[in-house]
Amino acid sequence: MTDEPLLRVSALSKFYGSRVGCDNVSFDLWPGEVLAVVGESGSGKTTLLNCLSTRLLPSSGTASYRMRDGQFRELYRMSEAERRFLMRTDWGFVHQNPADGLRMTVSAGANVGERLMAVGDRHYGKIRATAVDWLSRVEIEQDRIDDEPRAFSGGMRQRLQIARNLVTGPRLVFMDEPTGGLDVSVQARLLDLLRGLVTDLGLAAIVVTHDLAVARLLSQRMMVMKDGRVVESGLTDRVLDDPRAPYTQLLVSSILQV
Amino acid sequence: MPTPLVVSDVAKSFTMHLRDGIKLPVIAGVSFSIKAGECTVLGGPSGAGKSSILKMLYGNYAVDEGQIIVSHEGGLIDLANASPRTVLAVRRQTIGYVSQFLRTVPRVSALDVVAEPLVERGEDREAARGKARALLSQLNLPEKLWALPPATFSGGEQQRVNIARGFITEHPILLLDEPTASLDATNRDVVIELIAAKKAAGVALLGIFHDHDVREAVADRIIDVTAFAPGKLAA
Amino acid sequence: MTDIATYNFAYLDEQTKRMIRRAILKGIAIPGYQVPFASREMPMPYGWGTGGVQVTASIIGPDDVLKVIDQGADDTTNAVSIRAFFKKVANVAVTTDTASATIIQTRHRIPEHPLTAGQVLVYQVPIPEPLRFLEPRETETRKMHALEEYGLMHVKLYEDIAKHGRIATTYAYPVKVEGRYVMDPSPTPKFDNPKMHRSPALQLFGAGREKRIYAVPPFTDVVSLDFEDHPFEVQTFDQPCALCAAENVYLDEVILDDHGGHMFVCSDTDHCEKRREEGHRGHLAPEIHLASEKMEPAQ
């Protein structure tokens, strides 16, 4: 157990004019912890994710991140160069639509290798070997390494996006509906893969999803959001098995049983 | 004899917001403790709140009132007010739990489902699989099933996977929620042996057993849960 | 002579020339950085060297001697027209001789004859942004330059090796200037990249349509990007020039007939002619010595 959290979020708010994006969100995230943020569309969960990943600047509040040297840095006070460096080395961002997170017109191998080249790897053979390794870890056949993601199925594209993000060994990964828009069987495979990678690599992750089953499978903790506010948070199985807030009870009772 | 778990004055109710906020009291004034090397059994009819008590002790249900003091890594922790992170640490190191039903994970083999708690505690994956194999064969789960995900197993098979997963670790406290419900006589006896072994190892067990024979065989003490019915307290 | 008076010296008005000179100075101060400038309409279409012509017009003086080449040749349409243009609007001396030129405007090539201090090489650039084909957003490419995020450049080279087994980019081969900015050397063959490195001449780049000017000051490091295990290499030719027998120069393939007959000759026509005057003979060199006009005197 590490004594200090990886990310400390305090009173984070984002307003779009008079409309509330997210309001007064605070939490700590520890290394290796997966936090699910659930809620229906418009609940502010994506706004929160975008603020945390510094893709969007909040209206108020702070978020500090423990850098690899152990020092906490205030995310919104970092220079853009530092933030972008953080985003391509120590962080990952898995988009719901893989086309948003991949370069669709370069090969799978180059998609995985880009981050390595961005941090200064200049040995083609080693970059390619790492790409081959990562493709196999996300269950993409080696002979697809020179194909463009345009030729991949939705599930493969999503797995490629994951490999592209994890290749630099990030400590924190943001995921926005990572299984959205996939067939159920493809979803199951992806979830299992994510679960394994998160455990094996000791990743911390913040997963935005509207799917409570995804939250149950991937996360240890969850936050339920409604109208930009956190209405309930706690251990994932506690929130799902003993929901206390009216909205959480509604969500849980709306799950379809198979 | 050490008492690793003390429950005092715990109460629990459910507020049903979808039913105009009616409040369903489940249990109140729950106070007891369990001892290392003993198997304590919660007794009482269905609906008396036995499962709710176990779930509160595991952090799965929130606690309205009272304290649940656990001896965890050399200190004392009140589980009723612990942070999620602390509860997770207690689950990893101190309190094990065998639920009534196995919650399956897609595509993960029965063997890895069983080995997982050990891996989470930092044990080598192959060593953990070795122990998992031993337990599954002790529980007579056919070897051909080990590599398959348990989603399609029968109720009894799933339950044996679940038991193996609960018993594989060396948690000092083990909660058992009807582990023998869907087992045949042979496997019930295996579970009785497993419980005896845990007792001998100094584990404090707390369980719910509807099966009379099993209860007779394992119980050192029976706590009658009806004493904690919410109405009783007022009387 | 009377018709010259209808133009300002070197066609552009003095304000415009000053504006362009400021851009050039900024470019020289930040080697490899693309400086935006207010590109003017020129009396020729985009793609014909409007950027280079504006740069030349802004730096040329009455005493300068101008050489213009297109694909290494002094006698192609584009080169002849631009040379005629400056002869008319600036009344400057023009030449085909690399050594005696003070300003050399070029499209595609750097002359084989080594450049010297005091000379200026002006490149006509069609697309100045090396990241363009990988990242279409100008806002993003500017940010990438500003933050020195050049991983994408290597993605392109990676793709080359993955597809062709080697870096197949042969022209407009990206370079890093003075260890900082990644730059597109315009559509010169990569054969010429090493000539840019620590060149004693000043190198100026003008992109008229894209409205960008950039520069490499004399004696600046210009390093071609590559991989450790796939180092940068220039093209090699397995035969010498068919006319002047030169080796280690850039050759063009010339089709001789419609039966597949062809020869490889120097792309730099001035270099080739000089060598033939010196008596070098390739295996297809004609017997008769070519009498070529060397220096056209100012009118």
Side-chain angles (χ1 to χ4, degrees), chain A residues 80-81 84-85 88 103 105-107 109-110 114 117-118 121-128 131 145-146 148, chain C residues 133-135 137 140 143-144 147-152 154-155 157-159 161-163 226-230:
Chain A
E80 186 173 15
R84 284 172 69 116
F85 184 74
R88 62 172 190 262
R103 290 195 190 278
T105 54
V106 305
S107 68
E114 181 177 345
M117 294 183 252
D121 277 16
R122 292 288 178 267
H123 193 285
Y124 173 84
K126 287 181 193 158
I127 292 167
R128 197 165 169 87
I145 187 168
D146 293 328
E148 291 176 8
Chain C
F133 292 104
L134 297 152
E135 176 52 67
R137 291 166 296 181
E140 187 64 18
K143 201 166 272 180
M144 291 160 84
L147 302 176
E148 227 182 320
E149 291 180 2
Y150 290 130
L152 206 49
H154 275 88
V155 169
L157 301 179
Y158 170 98
E159 287 290 82
I161 304 173
K163 285 199 181 95
D226 61 2
F227 286 101
E228 289 160 18
D229 49 343
H230 286 266

Side-chain angles (χ1 to χ4, degrees), chain C residues 15-35:
Chain C
Q15 286 296 343
T16 298
K17 284 195 265 184
R18 247 173 247 145
M19 175 271 292
I20 293 174
R21 285 176 201 141
R22 278 197 294 271
I24 292 171
L25 286 173
K26 186 171 179 182
I28 292 170
I30 316 170
Y33 171 71
Q34 298 167 47
V35 186

Side-chain angles (χ1 to χ4, degrees), chain A residues 70-100:
Chain A
Q71 299 298 310
F72 275 96
R73 292 290 306 276
E74 184 74 66
L75 288 181
Y76 309 120
R77 290 180 188 275
M78 289 169 97
S79 71
E80 186 173 15
E82 288 174 300
R83 273 192 275 125
R84 284 172 69 116
F85 184 74
L86 195 63
M87 285 185 87
R88 62 172 190 262
T89 53
D90 214 20
W91 288 5
F93 196 108
V94 177
H95 295 262
Q96 173 172 9
N97 180 359
D100 295 336

Side-chain angles (χ1 to χ4, degrees), chain A:
Chain A
M1 245 205 273
T2 323
D3 293 305
E4 284 190 298
L6 195 59
L7 181 70
R8 284 187 178 135
V9 181
S10 170
L12 205 66
S13 300
K14 173 71 186 176
F15 300 100
Y16 301 101
S18 59
R19 276 191 306 116
V20 177
C22 63
D23 189 12
N24 200 23
V25 177
S26 303
F27 67 90
D28 287 346
L29 186 76
W30 272 267
E33 213 172 39
V34 180
L35 173 72
V37 182
V38 303
E40 57 199 13
S41 346
S43 61
K45 54 192 196 305
T46 299
T47 295
L48 176 65
L49 192 75
N50 285 337
C51 283
L52 294 173
S53 57
T54 73
R55 296 154 56 82
L56 198 63
L57 281 182
S59 310
S60 62
T62 59
S64 44
Y65 180 72
R66 185 155 55 81
M67 309 292 283
R68 290 191 191 217
D69 63 4
Q71 299 298 310
F72 275 96
R73 292 290 306 276
E74 184 74 66
L75 288 181
Y76 309 120
R77 290 180 188 275
M78 289 169 97
S79 71
E80 186 173 15
E82 288 174 300
R83 273 192 275 125
R84 284 172 69 116
F85 184 74
L86 195 63
M87 285 185 87
R88 62 172 190 262
T89 53
D90 214 20
W91 288 5
F93 196 108
V94 177
H95 295 262
Q96 173 172 9
N97 180 359
D100 295 336
L102 291 174
R103 290 195 190 278
M104 298 302 279
T105 54
V106 305
S107 68
N111 262 290
V112 176
E114 181 177 345
R115 272 177 162 232
L116 296 173
M117 294 183 252
V119 296
D121 277 16
R122 292 288 178 267
H123 193 285
Y124 173 84
K126 287 181 193 158
I127 292 167
R128 197 165 169 87
T130 311
V132 166
D133 176 45
W134 268 101
L135 289 179
S136 74
R137 288 172 83 163
V138 298
E139 302 171 16
I140 293 175
E141 296 78 18
Q142 275 191 29
D143 60 5
R144 305 301 302 269
I145 187 168
D146 293 328
D147 292 350
E148 291 176 8
R150 285 190 292 200
F152 286 6
S153 68
M156 274 174 81
R157 288 180 186 185
Q158 198 57 296
R159 280 179 274 133
L160 179 63
Q161 195 191 179
I162 289 162
R164 174 179 161 88
N165 271 284
L166 298 186
V167 67
T168 48
R171 294 185 301 157
L172 174 60
V173 179
F174 301 96
M175 301 186 206
D176 188 6
E177 304 276 8
T179 58
L182 298 177
D183 294 341
V184 184
S185 58
V186 179
Q187 249 191 44
R189 183 176 181 188
L190 188 73
L191 281 173
D192 171 44
L193 182 81
L194 274 176
R195 207 172 153 270
L197 287 172
V198 164
T199 320
D200 292 349
L201 304 170
L203 287 177
I206 298 177
V207 185
V208 158
T209 178
H210 66 274
D211 189 335
L212 297 180
V214 169
R216 168 138 10 216
L217 212 56
L218 283 183
S219 72
Q220 293 101 38
R221 280 171 59 201
M222 68 190 263
M223 293 200 308
V224 183
M225 291 189 73
K226 182 173 175 17
D227 300 331
R229 288 175 189 84
V230 176
V231 295
E232 183 161 3
S233 64
L235 277 181
T236 298
D237 62 273
R238 205 284 292 154
V239 173
L240 292 175
D241 294 343
D242 182 16
R244 323 264 291 167
Y247 178 68
T248 318
Q249 292 189 354
L250 178 67
L251 265 188
V252 170
S253 66
S254 308
I255 301 175
L256 294 174
Q257 300 282 332
V258 182

Side-chain angles (χ1 to χ4, degrees), chain C residues 49 73-74 85 146 192 248:
Chain C
D74 295 89
F85 175 75
D192 286 341
N248 302 316

